[in-house]
Amino acid sequence: MTAATNLSLTHRTRAEQVEHLRKQMAAVAGKVGSGRRGPTPSADPSPASESLLPLPESLAEQLPRSLPRGTVAVLAGARSLPLGMVAATTAAGGHAAIVGQPDAGLLAAVEMGADLSRLAVIPDPGGDPVEVAAVLMDGMDLVVLGLGGRSVPAGRARAVTARARQKGCTLLVTNGDWPGATARLEARVCGFEVAGAGSSGAPRPGCGRISRVRLAMRARSRGHGPALAVGE
């Protein structure tokens, strides 16, 4: 990919959407080749043996561990969390996609260190964003999926989760729920710093820009209790 790929699937039927995406991902796979930093698909059903997805530097010391590749996590709250995951993944040489988020802040992602040449953006995936995300798993290390408030049947969630595990692609779900998700992360803004606010450094209305945001994050995983972390 030479730039952030923007694919509009609004006026296509589901079959046309899937076929179009498969052709796009075949082209991506040819360019990515051995450069994709995903694990070799394994018959081992446990994601614990797989490598971990890169963490944003601001959270590396706040969380006990990152997400294993090939798992599904549900994110809620501050949008900077999924953008930070995209930035960390692409900066480390991986490939990521953002599906169903037309207002994704690509400028913010770049400021976090994202490499847009390794990012595909599908702002409008049509009526079935889950199918689009499943197809993209063939060539991605990370897929961020905005469900737009949709519910996902448990049976279909299990099938897509199995595909994520097989392909070594981590799926981050926002604006919705995912039955059987491996982890659930909730982030909220608990503070921020303003640069260029004047000699005193104190925020002034209409002056400066937010240079750093502090997040309070709660992480839960299956079989473990909640953990609270704060990062910037």
Side-chain angles (χ1 to χ4, degrees):
M1 288 173 284
T2 57
T5 305
N6 190 327
L7 304 178
S8 178
L9 305 178
T10 306
H11 304 296
R12 300 173 185 267
T13 66
R14 177 175 176 180
E16 290 173 338
Q17 291 172 13
V18 173
E19 181 61 24
H20 178 72
L21 282 168
R22 291 194 187 282
K23 290 179 179 178
Q24 290 287 332
M25 293 314 304
V28 170
K31 295 177 182 178
V32 173
S34 60
R36 178 172 182 253
R37 296 191 176 188
T40 301
S42 168
D44 184 357
S46 172
S49 63
E50 298 174 351
S51 60
L52 301 178
L53 197 71
L55 264 180
E57 183 179 350
S58 60
L59 295 179
E61 296 181 358
Q62 308 298 330
L63 292 177
R65 60 176 295 182
S66 182
L67 296 171
R69 295 179 187 269
T71 57
V72 179
V74 175
L75 309 185
R79 297 182 182 183
S80 56
L81 179 57
L83 288 180
M85 300 294 286
V86 167
T89 297
T90 57
H95 291 78
I98 300 177
V99 179
Q101 294 189 341
D103 55 351
L106 296 185
L107 177 58
V110 170
E111 292 178 342
M112 294 177 187
D115 180 352
L116 293 188
S117 69
R118 295 177 175 272
L119 176 63
V121 180
I122 301 87
D124 188 350
D128 195 351
V130 176
E131 180 72 17
V132 174
V135 172
L136 287 167
M137 289 177 182
D138 279 332
M140 298 294 168
D141 299 280
L142 170 67
V143 174
V144 179
L145 170 62
L147 286 177
R150 295 175 176 84
S151 60
V152 181
R156 191 175 190 197
R158 286 193 296 270
V160 177
T161 298
R163 180 176 176 81
R165 182 183 299 114
Q166 179 191 24
K167 300 297 181 179
C169 176
T170 301
L171 178 65
L172 303 184
V173 177
T174 67
N175 196 20
D177 194 21
W178 192 274
T182 301
R184 298 178 183 274
L185 307 178
E186 301 176 17
R188 62 178 177 84
V189 176
C190 61
F192 58 88
E193 297 178 9
V194 177
S199 57
S200 65
R204 294 167 49 193
C207 297
R209 63 188 295 271
I210 296 176
S211 60
R212 179 173 296 179
V213 175
R214 289 188 294 274
L215 299 179
M217 189 165 67
R218 184 179 300 273
R220 294 179 297 164
S221 60
R222 288 184 301 185
H224 296 82
L228 183 65
V230 177
E232 298 182 350

